[in-house]
């Protein structure tokens, strides 16, 4: 029954999209200044039915209704309730329904929160957003229906992958989707803006909050994903430049560039074309990312079960999106006159965009290159972390410096003297740092430069913060928080990378391994039986040689029954100064266990810095509400 | 004053850091090798059979005194280019390494031209 | 004029990208077996499982063709392909079969052969699996067909099935 309800609701959403498009189009032709109540109602109904359909699927998971294929394939009666619910979006079809929910919700919210804006603009946005909704709903119905039913009804489900049974991973998709999918609304708004020849500054004001919301959620979503990877996947890393990770990073670069350019559009009514291009590119990148992840074209730890027919449909949809936006853009664009002063804030914002485009291009090229090479020449290459590190790291240095200097410049012209004073003071700080680094570390040139540049940004932001609080310049808080967060992030990642201690060796029960700074004693193995898994627990005593303190760490090998999987749970002791990280796996057909022991400095600070970046955006979002 | 406080904090930070463990190059090599039967994991991260065998082979070769480039070359001759995460620099991968910088330079050029044009506009 | 040129470039790029994506969907993402065909196998020296002798690549030069088969007693698919190995040993005198016992115990391997039949002209042992890397294998079962010059003619990843069995016979006429 739930299956039928769900399917009906989805058909209703489809019909409503068509009705909305039709009504909105007619409405554009009329001369009324206000939008007819009917369109609001249609949109409200659409939102209601969409949320209901998602709720229906959740109910299916909660009550283990295995007549629904999706529930059968992804759930199990023995699953804890929280993970039954999270299972709703932890699969391809369910996550698609979540996409549609966000598309519809944002469509409605944009409509009602932009009443002070031009009617034509709002209606066109509604129309194009609904075209997107239509595309996804048709995809859902034709190819990936979460409500398709199975008969006879199986007695038990196939279970959810145990690796996905984790709180961080449960909230990671919804967070990320608000970012990914949220940018659909300003994609539609950008097309609408071109078609209705809307004023640039007004356009910027209409989408500003939406850009901020999608950016904050994207940042948090990526961070939570990394935290999950660190705590759950057992390799001690948090970013692998894996194609799926890259797919989430690409829109992030575009949205970050957009966050900055929008300021120029709002304050100086300039860069209109570029902002439009960014708005269009962001959602195009999101859908491209979805294509890469769900079509099976790439090889990755993260991919959903892949299916080429999905890939074909998404590719088709992506092509439609790109061609439509390109054609409309070229047909109706207007020439723009740029009026920049070379030592003004606009130039620095342009510089930010310049670097963001570079980072984006690098990640895009690195991710796509293996595909292109394979298709064109049949050669298989791997592009992994070394490539990204080598290409990106050198340019992070000037980026950090520009990030520090940029905010100092005012909008039109800056006094040069003010600048020299600040630079002078900070240059002194840099020299002191150099001195310290050479005392304590033995880094390469790039590591040194990065840490110096990051410190420059950090120091500057702290001094700025003091000044802003003193002068009560509230509007600067968000920028300072985000920039400080970014500086701290680069700083802590840099140190973590340089000073992480990683070892890999084989050990038998009862043996001791002596390292430079630690002594590991493999005490024992204990076997435990839990609710839905059996675990082999290793008991290790770790002595830090210099300080003589002792820790006990218990990594596990978990054997799940439904489906039959093996996972390796790392034992992690997180402290303020560093994390101790221990994983154990058995070497097949031997008494040896393969042990990976790591000491990773400042891990917690990396997470805190990343959240701080998002916090800045969140603060800015709240501020806007206060102002208006 | 603030500056002094911050320097003291830095000093503190660095005292908790440690010297490298024996053979950090080994881990670097493990991280650069791809586990071919896994879905996107390095030899360092993978717990598979294949990964543990490769680790043994790499260990042996290091003991024999081979450099990491020699080890990579050996494995590439057996399994192909894709076993190494750092793409080599040959005519197949030139575009990969140069395109990002090309885009960077192009971007810089565009901005430079825009600013120059706007200066001209101002003069007029 | 300039803008039209730009438009053409952008549209061409987009079409190119989408085309590659489409072609990429059709490509098979699995193991790359082609890179070794035509190459000579490396020299090796492995202890025999039956006696104290060492088996080396020199010995294989005497054969018209050699099928090098990686197997183990604990490997289920190896049992399934074993029948084809026996058939090849019986039907084709041009092919000699070298078995390499991968990460196994001698007792178990000998037991396996006594129970399921011994198609191998030689059996070498590879207790830690390192030799398999010399041959560029990923796991077991895997088989490599080489000729008199020790060049690789065919590489089979996974158990030998009927089709591959027939192909081996054809290649070794």
């Amino acid at each position: 029954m739930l299956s039928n309800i769900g399917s009906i609701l989805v058909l209703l959403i489809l019909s409503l999209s068509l009705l909305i498009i039709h009504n909105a189009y007619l409405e554009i032709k009329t001369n009324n200044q206000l939008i007819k109540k009917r369109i609001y109602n249609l949109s409200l109904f659409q939102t209601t039915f969409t949320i209901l359909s998602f709720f229906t699927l959740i109910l299916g998971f909660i009550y283990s209704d295995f007549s629904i294929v999706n529930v059968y394939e992804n759930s199990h009666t023995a699953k804890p309730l929280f993970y039954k619910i999270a299972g709703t979006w932890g699969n391809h079809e369910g996550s698609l329904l979540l996409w549609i929910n966000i598309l519809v919700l944002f469509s409605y919210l944009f409509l009602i929160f932009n009443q002070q804006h031009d009617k034509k603009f709002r209606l066109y946005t509604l129309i194009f957003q609904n075209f997107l909704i239509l595309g996804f709903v048709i995809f859902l119905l034709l190819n990936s229906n979460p409500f398709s039913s199975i008969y006879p009804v199986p007695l038990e489900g196939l279970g959810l992958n145990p690796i996905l049974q984790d709180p961080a991973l449960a909230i990671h998709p919804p967070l990320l989707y608000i970012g990914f999918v949220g940018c659909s609304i300003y994609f539609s708004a950008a097309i609408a803006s071109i078609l209705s020849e809307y004023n640039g500054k007004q356009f910027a004001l209409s989408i500003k909050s939406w850009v901020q919301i999608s950016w904050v959620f994207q940042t948090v979503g990526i961070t939570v994903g990394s935290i999950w990877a660190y705590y759950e996947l057992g390799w001690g890393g948090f970013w692998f430049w894996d194609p799926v990770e890259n797919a989430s990073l690409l829109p992030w670069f575009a949205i970050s560039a957009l966050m900055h350019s929008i300021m120029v559009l709002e304050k100086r009514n300039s860069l209109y074309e570029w902002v439009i291009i960014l708005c269009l590119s962001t959602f195009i990148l999101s859908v491209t990312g979805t294509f890469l992840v769900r079509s099976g074209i790439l090889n990755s730890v993260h991919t959903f079960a892949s299916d080429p027919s999905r890939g074909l449909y998404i590719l088709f949809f992506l092509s439609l999106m790109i061609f439509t936006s390109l054609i409309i853009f070229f047909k109706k664009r207007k020439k723009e006159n740029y009026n920049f002063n070379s030592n003004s804030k606009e130039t620095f914002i342009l510089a930010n965009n310049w670097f963001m485009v570079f980072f984006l291009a690098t990640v895009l090229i690195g991710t796509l290159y293996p595909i292109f090479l394979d298709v064109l020449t049949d050669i298989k290459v791997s592009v992994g972390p070394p490539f990204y590190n080598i290409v990106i790291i050198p340019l992070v240095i000037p980026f950090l410096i520009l990030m520090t200097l940029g905010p100092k410049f005012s909008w039109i012209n800056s006094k040069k003297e003010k600048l020299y004073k600040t630079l002078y003071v900070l240059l002194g700080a840099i020299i002191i740092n150099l001195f310290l680094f050479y005392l304590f570390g033995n880094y390469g040139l790039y590591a040194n430069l990065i840490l110096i540049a990051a410190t420059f940004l950090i120091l500057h932001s702290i001094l700025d913060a003091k000044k802003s609080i003193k002068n009560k310049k509230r509007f600067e808080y968000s920028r300072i928080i985000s920039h400080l967060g970014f500086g701290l992030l680069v700083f802590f990642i840099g140190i973590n990378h340089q000073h992480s201690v990683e070892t890999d060796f084989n050990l038998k029960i009862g043996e001791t391994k002596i390292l430079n700074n630690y002594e590991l004693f493999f005490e024992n193995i204990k076997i435990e039986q839990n609710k839905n898994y059996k675990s082999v627990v290793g008991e290790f005593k770790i002595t830090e040689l210099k300080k003589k303190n002792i820790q006990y760490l218990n990594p596990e090998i978990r054997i799940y029954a439904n489906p039959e999987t093996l996972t390796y749970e790392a034992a992690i002791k997180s402290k303020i100064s560093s994390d101790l990280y221990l994983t154990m796996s058995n070497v097949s057909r031997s008494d040896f266990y393969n042990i990976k022991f790591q000491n990773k400095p400042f891990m917690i600070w990396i997470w805190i810095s990343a959240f701080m970046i998002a916090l800045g955006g969140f603060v800015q979002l709240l501020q806007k509400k206060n102002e208006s | 004053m603030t500056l002094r406080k911050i320097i003291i904090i830095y000093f503190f930070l660095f005292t908790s850091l440690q010297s490298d463990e024996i053979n950090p190059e080994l881990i670097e090599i493990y991280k650069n090798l791809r586990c071919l039967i896994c879905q996107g994991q390095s030899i360092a991260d993978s717990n598979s059979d294949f990964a543990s065998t490769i680790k043994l082979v790499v260990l042996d070769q290091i003991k024999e005194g081979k450099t990491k480039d020699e080890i990579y070359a050996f494995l590439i001759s057996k399994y192909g280019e894709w076993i190494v995460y750092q793409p080599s620099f040959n005519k197949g991968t030139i575009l990969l390494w140069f395109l990002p910088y090309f885009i960077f330079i192009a971007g810089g050029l565009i901005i430079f031209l825009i600013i120059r044009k706007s200066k001209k506009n101002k003069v007029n | 004029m300039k803008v039209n040129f730009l438009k053409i470039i952008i549209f061409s790029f987009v079409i190119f990208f989408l085309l590659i994506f489409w072609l990429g969907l059709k490509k098979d993402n699995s193991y790359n077996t082609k890179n070794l065909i035509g190459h000579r196998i490396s020299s090796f020296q492995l202890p025999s499982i039956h006696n104290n002798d060492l088996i080396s690549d020199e010995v294989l030069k005497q054969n018209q063709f050699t099928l090098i088969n990686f197997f183990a007693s604990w490997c289920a698919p190896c049992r399934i392909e074993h029948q084809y190995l026996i058939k090849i040993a019986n039907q084709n005198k041009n092919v000699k079969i070298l078995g390499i016992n991968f990460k196994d115990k001698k007792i178990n391997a000998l037991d396996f052969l006594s129970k399921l039949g011994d198609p191998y002209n030689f059996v070498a042992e590879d207790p830690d699996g390192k030799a398999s890397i010399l041959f560029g294998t990923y796991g077991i079962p895997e088989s490599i067909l080489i000729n008199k010059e020790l060049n690789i003619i065919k590489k089979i990843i996974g158990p030998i099935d009927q089709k591959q069995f027939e192909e081996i016979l054809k290649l070794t006429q």
Side-chain angles (χ1 to χ4, degrees):
Chain A
M1 197 191 63
L2 277 176
S3 155
N4 293 332
I5 295 179
S7 300
I8 294 175
L9 284 170
V10 174
L11 284 168
L12 281 172
I13 301 170
L14 180 79
S15 335
L16 280 167
S17 305
L18 290 167
L19 278 172
I20 291 176
I21 293 175
H22 178 70
N23 276 284
Y25 184 64
L26 289 177
E27 189 70 9
I28 288 179
K29 303 293 183 83
T30 72
N31 280 324
N32 301 347
Q33 275 314 306
L34 299 169
I35 295 184
K36 256 206 286 227
K37 195 123 201 277
R38 183 198 285 189
I39 294 188
Y40 285 103
N41 288 340
L42 285 174
S43 193
L44 183 59
F45 276 130
Q46 189 191 44
T47 314
T48 314
F49 289 142
T50 312
I51 297 181
L52 275 177
S53 71
F54 195 60
F55 193 61
T56 309
L57 189 61
I58 294 182
L59 280 178
F61 273 84
I62 294 180
Y63 290 108
S64 294
D65 181 350
F66 295 127
S67 70
I68 302 179
V69 178
N70 193 241
V71 179
Y72 165 63
E73 285 178 347
N74 296 295
S75 193
H76 195 276
T77 50
K79 200 135 277 128
L81 180 66
F82 180 68
Y83 295 122
K84 276 186 185 151
I85 299 176
T88 317
W89 55 78
N91 61 79
H92 167 69
E93 293 82 0
S95 67
L96 209 56
L97 193 57
L98 182 58
W99 267 70
I100 294 174
N101 268 266
I102 298 173
L103 283 172
V104 170
L105 187 65
F106 273 48
S107 167
Y108 178 62
L109 292 177
F110 190 83
L111 182 66
I112 61 175
F113 279 123
N114 278 315
Q115 308 211 18
Q116 70 275 38
H117 285 277
D118 177 63
K119 177 194 89 161
K120 253 179 140 187
F121 164 66
R122 293 164 66 206
L123 287 171
Y124 271 124
T125 307
L126 195 63
I127 291 176
F128 280 95
Q129 184 75 353
N130 271 277
F131 273 125
L132 293 175
I133 294 171
L134 208 60
F136 275 91
V137 170
I138 294 176
F139 178 35
L140 189 105
L141 285 171
L142 290 180
N143 180 295
S144 316
N145 193 345
F147 294 112
S148 46
S149 55
I150 186 175
Y151 189 82
V153 180
L155 289 170
E156 187 57 272
L158 296 174
L160 184 66
N161 191 334
I163 297 184
L164 302 179
Q165 281 183 50
D166 176 275
L169 198 62
I171 59 168
H172 163 66
L175 288 174
L176 211 48
Y177 286 161
I178 297 180
F180 264 147
V181 187
C183 50
S184 62
I185 195 69
Y186 41 92
F187 171 85
S188 308
I191 298 186
S193 185
I194 302 176
L195 287 175
S196 60
E197 292 175 13
Y198 202 30
N199 168 262
K201 176 171 173 152
Q202 290 303 313
F203 172 60
L205 286 170
S206 76
I207 62 169
K208 190 164 161 190
S209 301
W210 304 96
V211 177
Q212 289 164 348
I213 292 174
S214 60
W215 184 82
V216 169
F217 277 94
Q218 186 85 354
T219 312
V220 174
I222 293 176
T223 309
V224 170
S226 293
I227 293 179
W228 172 77
Y230 176 73
Y231 280 98
E232 283 307 310
L233 289 183
W235 44 285
F238 53 91
W239 192 264
F240 192 61
W241 297 108
D242 175 81
V244 174
E245 292 173 335
N246 294 347
S248 70
L249 196 58
L250 291 171
W252 189 86
F253 287 130
I255 307 179
S256 298
L258 185 56
M259 284 267 271
H260 290 80
S261 294
I262 256 196
M263 281 194 262
V264 176
L265 186 56
E266 183 193 354
K267 296 254 159 57
R268 308 265 291 131
N269 206 352
S270 181
L271 286 182
Y272 181 59
E273 264 196 341
W274 177 238
V275 168
I276 298 277
I277 293 177
L278 281 176
C279 287
L280 296 174
S281 308
T282 311
F283 191 56
I284 289 175
L285 283 168
S286 289
V287 178
T288 308
T290 302
F291 168 73
L292 293 173
V293 168
R294 294 178 200 238
S295 65
I297 199 174
L298 284 169
N299 190 300
S300 151
V301 203
H302 294 87
T303 44
F304 291 85
S306 57
D307 178 0
S309 66
R310 278 184 215 162
L312 275 173
Y313 186 92
I314 301 178
L315 188 59
F316 178 64
F317 182 69
L318 180 66
S319 313
L320 274 180
M321 265 177 57
I322 297 181
F323 282 124
T324 313
S325 39
L326 272 183
I327 292 173
I328 295 181
F329 177 75
F330 277 127
K331 249 192 146 180
K332 295 208 96 184
R333 66 191 276 262
K334 272 192 268 198
K335 255 309 224 171
E336 197 172 339
N337 273 320
Y338 295 105
N339 223 329
F340 292 154
N341 223 309
S342 60
N343 59 337
S344 66
K345 213 193 273 271
E346 289 106 316
T347 314
F348 278 88
I349 289 186
L350 267 182
N352 159 289
N353 276 227
W354 176 34
F355 276 81
M356 283 294 170
V357 168
F358 167 73
F359 295 139
L360 198 158
T362 308
V363 177
L364 189 65
I365 291 170
T367 312
L368 294 181
Y369 200 77
I371 301 175
F372 278 60
L373 201 65
D374 193 14
V375 167
L376 292 171
T377 64
D378 230 15
I379 303 175
K380 279 187 161 57
V381 288
S382 295
V383 178
F387 169 75
Y388 298 101
N389 290 338
I390 293 175
V391 176
I392 293 184
I393 286 180
L395 284 167
V396 173
I397 301 163
F399 182 64
L400 286 167
I401 296 177
L402 288 173
M403 211 169 151
T404 318
L405 296 176
K408 294 252 106 214
F409 287 78
S410 47
W411 280 105
I412 302 185
N413 211 333
S414 273
K415 300 197 187 78
K416 287 210 175 119
E417 306 80 45
K418 188 166 71 159
L419 221 62
Y420 286 147
K421 201 165 151 198
T422 336
L423 273 178
Y424 194 58
V425 171
L426 291 165
L427 217 56
I430 297 171
I431 294 175
I432 296 174
N433 274 306
L434 245 171
F435 188 55
L436 277 175
F437 291 147
Y438 272 109
L439 269 186
F440 285 101
N442 52 342
Y443 325 121
L445 175 68
Y446 280 133
N448 257 298
L449 289 176
I450 285 217
L451 290 175
I452 292 170
T455 314
F456 182 46
L457 178 57
I458 296 171
L459 286 178
H460 203 296
S461 304
I462 296 178
L463 292 174
D464 263 1
K466 288 187 81 183
K467 222 191 320 175
S468 287
I469 297 176
K470 199 167 75 173
N471 297 337
K472 293 217 194 293
K473 284 196 182 163
R474 285 231 191 102
F475 60 90
E476 290 198 344
Y477 290 168
S478 61
R479 182 259 304 167
I480 294 175
I481 296 174
S482 284
H483 282 202
L484 177 61
F486 189 78
L488 287 170
L489 185 69
V490 175
F491 181 76
F492 286 122
I493 291 182
I495 297 199
N496 178 282
H497 192 71
Q498 282 296 134
H499 288 276
S500 270
V501 164
E502 298 178 42
T503 59
D504 183 317
F505 49 87
N506 292 347
L507 214 58
K508 282 197 208 162
I509 304 177
E511 288 184 344
T512 304
K513 177 86 180 178
I514 302 182
L515 305 161
N516 276 351
N517 297 298
Y518 290 95
E519 187 186 276
L520 252 97
F521 174 49
F522 190 176
E523 284 184 340
N524 206 0
I525 287 270
K526 233 175 32 184
I527 307 218
E528 288 177 3
Q529 183 70 48
N530 288 67
K531 190 168 168 203
N532 49 346
Y533 62 89
K534 180 173 99 169
S535 88
V536 178
V537 184
E539 297 179 339
F540 290 83
K541 176 169 130 185
I542 297 157
T543 316
E544 197 179 338
L545 295 171
K546 267 185 239 160
K547 298 187 187 157
K548 296 261 190 269
N549 54 10
I550 297 180
Q551 307 258 33
Y552 291 94
L553 287 174
N554 302 328
E556 293 177 33
I557 304 174
R558 288 192 188 166
I559 305 157
Y560 285 83
N562 282 305
E564 263 181 52
T565 347
L566 215 63
T567 66
Y568 303 94
E569 303 296 316
I572 308 177
K573 268 255 164 37
S574 295
K575 296 180 289 191
I576 291 191
S577 60
S578 69
D579 281 18
L580 279 183
Y581 199 95
L582 187 61
T583 48
M584 162 187 96
S585 68
N586 62 314
V587 180
S588 22
R589 298 171 301 281
S590 96
D591 293 332
F592 279 102
Y593 287 84
N594 178 249
I595 312 292
K596 293 191 250 233
F597 173 67
Q598 307 183 37
N599 176 295
K600 315 193 73 71
F602 304 129
M603 281 312 297
I604 293 210
W605 295 101
I606 294 183
W607 314 132
I608 294 177
S609 313
F611 281 125
M612 203 184 218
I613 299 177
L615 181 66
F618 185 63
V619 166
Q620 194 185 45
L621 199 65
L622 293 177
Q623 264 174 354
K624 176 153 208 256
K625 292 223 159 80
N626 282 341
E627 274 175 53
S628 53
Chain B
M1 240 327 277
T2 328
L3 229 55
R4 227 174 295 168
K5 272 195 228 159
I6 296 176
I7 294 173
I8 296 179
I9 296 178
Y10 271 126
F11 204 83
F12 236 176
L13 285 179
F14 281 77
T15 51
S16 65
L17 298 172
Q18 293 156 351
S19 63
D20 272 325
E21 282 302 339
I22 16 183
N23 218 341
E25 197 185 57
L26 186 67
I27 304 284
E28 186 197 322
I29 298 178
Y30 286 170
K31 282 186 171 180
N32 197 18
L33 292 172
R34 182 183 208 128
C35 166
L36 296 175
I37 61 170
C38 318
Q39 284 250 68
Q41 275 183 305
S42 66
I43 294 289
D45 308 331
S46 164
N47 292 312
S48 66
D49 222 37
F50 178 75
S52 44
T53 316
I54 296 269
K55 280 188 203 171
L56 287 176
V57 172
V58 172
L59 264 171
D60 270 358
Q61 298 218 345
I62 287 199
K63 282 193 196 134
E64 285 170 24
K66 298 256 166 73
T67 68
K68 63 178 176 174
D69 286 328
E70 288 173 330
I71 297 178
Y72 293 148
F74 169 71
L75 288 170
I76 291 177
S77 72
K78 299 292 165 201
Y79 293 98
E81 286 277 352
W82 73 312
I83 195 173
V84 180
Y85 272 120
Q86 180 172 339
S88 59
F89 194 70
N90 55 41
K91 63 181 162 108
T93 58
I94 268 193
L95 252 163
L96 174 68
W97 289 100
F98 277 134
L99 208 52
Y101 291 119
F102 178 69
I103 291 182
F104 184 69
I105 295 175
L109 221 75
I110 295 177
I111 294 183
F112 177 67
L113 289 172
I114 290 180
I115 295 183
R116 205 169 63 155
K117 204 162 160 206
S118 67
K119 279 208 175 123
K120 273 201 209 143
N121 284 341
K122 281 212 153 154
V123 173
N124 293 345
Chain C
M1 257 313 290
K2 230 189 332 186
V3 181
N4 279 330
F5 184 61
L6 195 66
K7 278 192 217 177
I8 294 177
I9 292 196
I10 293 181
F11 270 98
S12 322
F13 257 116
V14 169
I15 295 176
F16 174 63
F17 265 72
L18 294 171
L19 208 68
I20 301 271
F21 281 157
W22 183 60
L23 289 172
L25 274 181
K26 304 191 157 184
K27 271 222 145 210
D28 185 24
N29 223 337
S30 53
Y31 306 150
N32 192 343
T33 62
K34 302 178 202 128
N35 69 309
L36 280 186
I37 298 208
H39 291 206
R40 194 185 188 282
I41 57 168
S42 333
S43 333
F44 65 90
Q45 225 182 34
L46 294 172
S48 161
I49 207 170
H50 293 298
N51 48 39
N52 287 331
D53 290 345
L54 285 173
I55 305 175
S56 76
D57 48 312
E58 290 297 315
V59 171
L60 301 183
K61 284 187 187 157
Q62 299 170 1
N63 309 335
Q64 270 272 19
F65 296 99
T66 314
L67 183 66
I68 308 175
N69 174 257
F70 291 84
F71 76 101
S73 61
W74 46 264
C75 153
C78 302
R79 293 173 184 249
I80 302 175
E81 74 166 357
H82 209 75
Q83 46 156 329
Y84 291 111
L85 293 171
I86 306 234
K87 278 193 202 162
I88 294 173
N90 291 339
Q91 287 179 21
N92 196 326
K93 295 305 166 195
N94 290 337
V95 186
K96 295 267 195 290
I97 312 184
L98 162 64
I100 300 192
N101 187 232
F102 175 83
K103 288 194 179 178
D104 207 352
K105 292 204 170 84
K106 203 187 283 198
I107 300 181
N108 297 338
L110 291 170
D111 188 52
F112 175 85
L113 291 177
S114 74
K115 287 217 178 93
L116 293 173
D118 187 353
Y120 301 115
N121 301 84
F122 324 87
V123 183
E125 61 176 6
D126 181 19
D128 47 28
K130 289 195 261 189
S132 69
I133 306 291
L134 263 183
F135 290 92
T137 59
Y138 302 85
I140 56 169
E142 266 190 59
S143 307
I144 306 175
L145 182 65
I146 60 175
N147 60 16
K148 210 170 160 66
E149 287 79 38
L150 304 186
N151 288 327
I152 299 177
I153 313 176
K154 184 170 171 64
K155 200 164 181 279
I156 303 166
I157 297 182
I160 299 176
D161 58 21
Q162 180 67 26
K163 206 172 84 172
Q164 282 153 339
F165 163 65
E166 288 166 6
E167 225 192 296
I168 295 176
L169 287 183
K170 207 165 60 169
L171 285 169
T172 56
Q173 285 304 344

